Amino acid sequence: MSRAVLSLGSNLGDRAGYLRLAVDGLRDVLVAVSSVYETKPWGVTDQPDFFNAVCLVDDPARDHWAWLRTAQELERRAERVRERRWGPRTLDVDVVTVDAVRSDDPDLLLPHPGAHERATVLIPWLEIDPDAEVPGRGKAADLLAALPEDDREGVRLRADVAL
């Protein structure tokens, strides 16, 4: 079995539409998808707010590299352009975890660096997997509780947006 956690984000154009494009591209392997949350940008802050969601996916035929290729293909379909690190994007698909795989390869760091300290990942992930764990870091609920209150409050549920 190869179960992965994928984080989705979009802050350009039809943000909900780009998230739907990603979810639709994962339908055959989709176990669960979170609600949509709106968040302020991280890193480069002079850009529009993001829509974020998390997907649990499962496919025994895919290893961690195949999940990376899947993420990159979804971004390609959304015509993502990489102009600057942490800059605006039509679609960002991050491989957060794949089973308990650990990777230090610069092309695929697992678990995703920073996931353990980003409410934008932890909140939607916990919505669909309350027992979630970040390999080598601990329970996602404990990691979220340790974040500053401002970080947690900055992740706003968008009940009006459905995937």
Side-chain angles (χ1 to χ4, degrees), residues 4-5 41 49 75 120 132 139-140 154:
V5 175
D49 288 354
E75 291 176 350
T120 58
K139 292 189 171 289

Side-chain angles (χ1 to χ4, degrees), residues 108-127:
L108 180 59
L109 298 168
L110 289 173
H112 188 281
H116 65 282
E117 56 191 13
R118 292 189 190 152
T120 58
V121 173
L122 297 172
I123 289 173
W125 185 7
L126 284 164
E127 176 192 326

Side-chain angles (χ1 to χ4, degrees), residues 30-45:
L30 191 64
V31 174
V33 62
S34 74
S35 300
V36 173
Y37 294 83
E38 190 165 22
T39 62
K40 296 282 182 206
W42 184 90
V44 177
T45 58

Side-chain angles (χ1 to χ4, degrees), residues 25-128:
L26 297 166
R27 288 274 180 221
D28 61 330
V29 295
L30 191 64
V31 174
V33 62
S34 74
S35 300
V36 173
Y37 294 83
E38 190 165 22
T39 62
K40 296 282 182 206
W42 184 90
V44 177
T45 58
D46 63 335
Q47 58 182 311
D49 288 354
F50 278 85
F51 275 5
N52 294 100
V54 167
C55 295
L56 294 178
V57 290
D58 190 307
D59 184 352
R62 295 184 208 201
D63 65 2
H64 51 295
W65 291 106
W67 287 118
L68 176 63
R69 288 189 300 276
T70 298
Q72 291 169 337
E73 172 58 20
L74 293 169
E75 291 176 350
R76 188 195 63 71
R77 288 183 199 169
E79 300 178 359
R80 176 177 176 171
V81 176
R82 296 177 188 268
E83 293 180 350
R84 64 179 171 161
R85 185 174 186 174
W86 298 317
R89 56 213 120 178
T90 56
L91 182 64
D92 185 35
V93 181
D94 288 333
V95 180
V96 177
T97 65
V98 178
D99 297 323
V101 173
R102 304 287 299 270
S103 172
D104 291 327
D105 189 301
D107 291 329
L108 180 59
L109 298 168
L110 289 173
H112 188 281
H116 65 282
E117 56 191 13
R118 292 189 190 152
T120 58
V121 173
L122 297 172
I123 289 173
W125 185 7
L126 284 164
E127 176 192 326
I128 57 176

